[in-house]
Amino acid sequence: MSDTQAIFPALREVPLEAIERELDNMWREHNASVARGTSQAYSRNSVLTLVAFTQGPRHARQVLEAIHSLTVQHPSRAIIISADPADRGSGMRAHIGTYVARDSSSYGEDLVVEAQTEADVARSVSALEDLMRRKKTRCAVGDISWAAQAPWRDIVAQFFDPPEAQPYLEGIERVVIEYAAGDEDAATNSSQASLFAGWLASRLGWRIDPAQKSGLDSSRQYTLRSAADSVIVLEIIARFNVAQRSWWEDPMSFGADAALVSPDGHRQDDVAWVRHGALMSVHLASRLGGPRATFAVARERDLMHMSAASEGAVHLEQLDDLQAVARRAAELFVERALAARTRGRFTVALSGGSTPRSLHTLLAGPDSRNQVDWTQVQFYWGDERYVPPDDPESNYRMARETLLDKLPEVRPQQVHRIHTELPDPAQAADLYEQELRGEFALPAGALPRFDLVYLGLGPDGHTASLFPHTEALRVRERLVVANYVSKLASTRITMTAPVLNAAATVAFLVAGSDKAAALAAVLEGPRDPETYPAQLVQPVHGTLYWLVDRAAAAGLKAHQFE
Ligand code: 6PG
């Protein structure tokens, strides 16, 4: 007697071929007992078919119980593919049964298909598919993990929707997929990443490089070939030590948009937990003749954000004046800092220039000051003028005087300024890039994801230190660069567009009539980021706020304000 039989005594063991026939028999036997008056009539109900892959009968039992409890209203057909390495039997066997949901008048059907190894899992699926094709069974094979990945497929597909992004599909040369490994990376955990890689490869017509050992498994690095025969390196990275829970452990948290209840019991939209095997991030590096561009598609937790907050949204808010803009910007800071509180870390990139002064004053003021745990805030700068840190022109100095000096809780290690005292701006940029990579623990080719980035807008349409027609506009593979600005006859240090676009929230603060023409050109003019660099800012997987005052908005014609 196999473990499966021991654990599922009620299930009847049948050869795969006989599944449907035996279920019909069971149905008939049941009706006979109804006719004998020994049981209640039930309708046979199996329109919803759930397929789950599990590791062994014990796990299968858990899944089955969870499916039963989940399908109370609507009994379904549950197909459990249970790879049972301990079972040295003859490969695939099916165990079928029926169950009656507590208070429903219909019953569901259970199939536990045993498969010894992962390979058997694949064979079981194709065997079931074959049965379906030959109408030997009445169910469509649906795969929970496939369904669970739908948001990821959507996001990656959406990512390449914009016409200017599509050519990069041809130039993809590297894909990094991170998934949540358990303490000990269980085989099924990595299958999600393999499944996603398989989808990407099938969609883009990639094939395994003949030199590559067969199959996509979890041994991490693969060489693929594009339709144009270019090499694509695929890397699957296990992320350990991520807080994990499986949906059957907490039915309430089943599905991204469920209310997440934090360990201390209160509802929170930002509890950092993830399912076993769930994808954490997908990074694509592509080259189009020029420098390599790196695209980051988000972490699992963000997907939850996505279901909670409308993803990729752009909010244009007209406010009375600079003070009102500053108040709204401070509100956003507090809101985002509170949302990040359970993570114990809130990363913000400040902007330079004069506009943020009022914001900083408000943040250091009584209203915001007491709402934020300042020990959690990590301060960065989106850009810096290449002047000493105590220079009146220094963005760091401005922030120090208007904000940091008023926050004694903020320790020096929370302040990540750009070291403009170094003789060589390029060196300062490199150093800052390394700091970002270190502080955000970035895998190669990955981008830091700031919780909040503040930006200004120059009268010429520049933002950060991405000035019109300057080198930095086209940089995609660096996080931070030294950017020579001929019209200023000086060099600036600036974060690049991919970093700004990887942020969860980006907020432009724009005030004053001298910005009206640039704002209209950026928001309503033809797409020309070389001339209006602020047009480059389109968070891939985040929310964009334009907080503008009436004077700056005076030139806008097409926009309706909220
Ligand atoms: C800088 C900035 C820059 C600034 C705009 C707007 O270092 O100058 O980062 O991008 O945001 O130039 O500046 P004002 O707020 O002074 O108008």
Side-chain angles (χ1 to χ4, degrees):
M1 173 191 282
S2 76
D3 280 4
T4 309
Q5 284 159 320
I7 291 182
F8 293 103
L11 298 191
R12 193 180 295 181
E13 184 182 338
V14 296
L16 279 191
E17 286 293 330
I19 291 174
E20 207 50 51
R21 194 179 59 248
E22 277 310 311
L23 282 168
D24 284 350
N25 293 344
M26 286 175 122
W27 166 248
R28 257 185 292 284
E29 285 155 23
H30 176 78
N31 288 345
S33 65
V34 173
R36 282 196 304 277
T38 56
S39 65
Q40 177 203 350
Y42 285 111
S43 62
R44 183 172 177 191
N45 189 328
S46 61
V47 285
L48 173 64
T49 301
L50 293 171
V51 177
F53 298 91
T54 69
Q55 273 293 330
R58 227 166 288 294
H59 204 197
R61 158 130 254 129
Q62 260 180 358
V63 174
L64 208 53
E65 279 156 12
I67 289 178
H68 285 181
S69 66
L70 281 170
T71 55
V72 168
Q73 300 307 330
H74 199 2
S76 318
R77 167 168 287 188
I79 299 184
I80 311 288
I81 310 266
S82 153
D84 184 0
D87 186 328
R88 290 278 147 255
S90 58
M92 283 174 285
R93 283 177 293 200
H95 300 258
I96 59 171
T98 59
Y99 69 91
V100 178
R102 264 190 308 285
D103 51 10
S104 78
S105 61
S106 60
Y107 75 38
E109 294 159 350
D110 291 339
L111 276 83
V112 176
V113 177
E114 258 171 4
Q116 274 173 353
T117 65
E118 282 267 324
D120 276 343
V121 168
R123 271 199 302 131
S124 337
V125 171
S126 46
L128 279 165
E129 256 167 340
D130 171 51
L131 284 173
M132 240 182 3
R133 240 193 321 285
R134 289 185 289 118
K135 299 273 171 284
K136 285 272 185 211
T137 178
R138 255 178 343 100
C139 71
V141 169
D143 174 340
I144 293 183
S145 38
W146 176 253
Q149 285 191 357
W152 286 91
R153 293 193 294 276
D154 295 347
I155 283 192
V156 171
Q158 275 165 25
F159 191 83
F160 289 99
D161 279 351
E164 64 272 19
Q166 278 152 25
Y168 282 101
L169 279 174
E170 308 307 315
I172 292 179
E173 52 184 42
R174 186 182 163 76
V175 178
V176 179
I177 301 173
E178 292 179 309
Y179 66 92
D183 302 341
E184 295 305 314
D185 183 15
T188 46
N189 283 351
S190 62
S191 62
Q192 291 268 352
S194 310
L195 190 62
F196 190 83
W199 170 74
L200 207 52
S202 66
R203 294 295 298 187
L204 296 173
W206 299 342
R207 63 192 193 288
I208 297 270
D209 181 307
Q212 163 82 47
K213 66 180 174 40
S214 68
L216 280 179
D217 63 24
S218 59
S219 55
R220 312 296 180 233
Q221 184 116 4
Y222 308 92
T223 311
L224 305 172
R225 290 262 169 198
S226 72
D229 211 30
S230 64
V231 169
I232 298 147
V233 174
L234 165 68
E235 197 177 347
I236 294 183
I237 297 179
R239 287 276 305 276
F240 294 94
N241 311 325
V242 179
Q244 296 191 11
R245 208 166 35 186
S246 302
W247 51 267
W248 61 77
E249 285 165 2
D250 181 346
M252 271 314 294
S253 64
F254 179 44
D257 52 6
L260 295 174
V261 181
S262 67
D264 53 20
H266 71 264
R267 195 187 147 97
Q268 277 241 356
D269 283 341
D270 195 35
V271 174
W273 65 269
V274 71
R275 283 168 291 109
H276 295 274
L279 300 186
M280 301 286 302
S281 70
V282 177
H283 294 103
L284 307 161
S286 175
R287 189 186 296 275
L288 266 188
R292 196 163 67 168
T294 303
F295 307 115
V297 180
R299 292 169 298 199
E300 161 76 10
R301 191 177 54 228
D302 303 284
L303 276 179
M304 295 206 175
H305 270 300
M306 182 181 80
S307 57
S310 52
E311 166 54 27
V314 179
H315 301 268
L316 174 62
E317 297 180 22
Q318 177 181 267
L319 299 134
D320 289 344
D321 53 22
L322 171 58
Q323 224 26 53
V325 167
R327 269 196 305 280
R328 181 72 185 95
E331 216 177 75
L332 205 55
F333 185 105
V334 172
E335 200 186 284
R336 293 291 185 261
L338 289 175
R341 197 186 45 212
T342 52
R343 266 186 285 128
R345 184 180 144 80
F346 176 61
T347 53
V348 59
L350 302 175
S351 92
S354 56
T355 308
R357 284 176 176 277
S358 341
L359 160 65
H360 294 174
T361 309
L362 285 174
L363 287 175
D367 295 354
S368 321
R369 188 144 181 11
N370 311 328
Q371 297 183 60
V372 174
D373 178 346
W374 293 100
T375 64
Q376 295 188 343
V377 185
Q378 301 289 330
F379 293 94
Y380 294 82
W381 279 261
D383 74 316
E384 184 59 281
R385 293 92 182 265
Y386 215 73
V387 292
D390 57 358
D391 185 288
E393 281 298 302
S394 156
N395 288 341
Y396 162 70
R397 175 174 163 180
M398 183 274 278
R400 188 174 51 69
E401 288 171 350
T402 54
L403 178 62
L404 301 173
D405 285 353
K406 301 177 181 152
L407 301 170
E409 314 91 307
V410 173
R411 290 146 299 143
Q413 58 271 37
Q414 293 172 248
V415 179
H416 309 273
R417 71 175 178 80
I418 298 169
H419 290 278
T420 49
E421 64 276 21
L422 291 172
D424 171 12
Q427 200 195 350
D430 291 354
L431 189 65
Y432 206 51
E433 174 150 340
Q434 281 156 33
E435 182 160 359
L436 288 178
R437 289 197 178 289
E439 289 291 328
F440 284 81
L442 298 177
L447 291 164
R449 182 166 170 83
F450 280 94
D451 294 301
L452 178 58
V453 171
Y454 285 121
L455 291 172
L457 179 71
D460 60 357
H462 83 262
T463 190
S465 281
L466 299 168
F467 281 81
H469 311 293
T470 57
E471 267 288 305
L473 299 185
R474 291 172 291 283
V475 174
R476 291 288 173 274
E477 85 291 354
R478 293 288 312 275
L479 308 183
V480 183
V481 291
N483 192 27
Y484 181 72
V485 185
S486 53
K487 75 174 187 183
L488 302 175
S490 74
T491 300
R492 295 276 189 104
I493 307 294
T494 186
M495 287 181 182
T496 57
V499 174
L500 303 177
N501 286 334
T505 304
V506 176
F508 276 96
L509 282 56
V510 186
S513 55
D514 62 330
K515 305 290 173 73
L519 186 65
V522 168
L523 294 180
E524 297 180 349
R527 182 150 180 82
D528 178 8
E530 274 291 321
T531 312
Y532 298 103
Q535 285 184 341
L536 285 171
V537 181
Q538 294 175 320
V540 175
H541 183 38
T543 306
L544 177 59
Y545 290 85
W546 283 92
L547 308 179
V548 304
D549 75 354
R550 284 186 195 291
L556 296 176
K557 302 205 176 16
H559 278 84
Q560 303 310 318
F561 288 104
E562 296 182 4

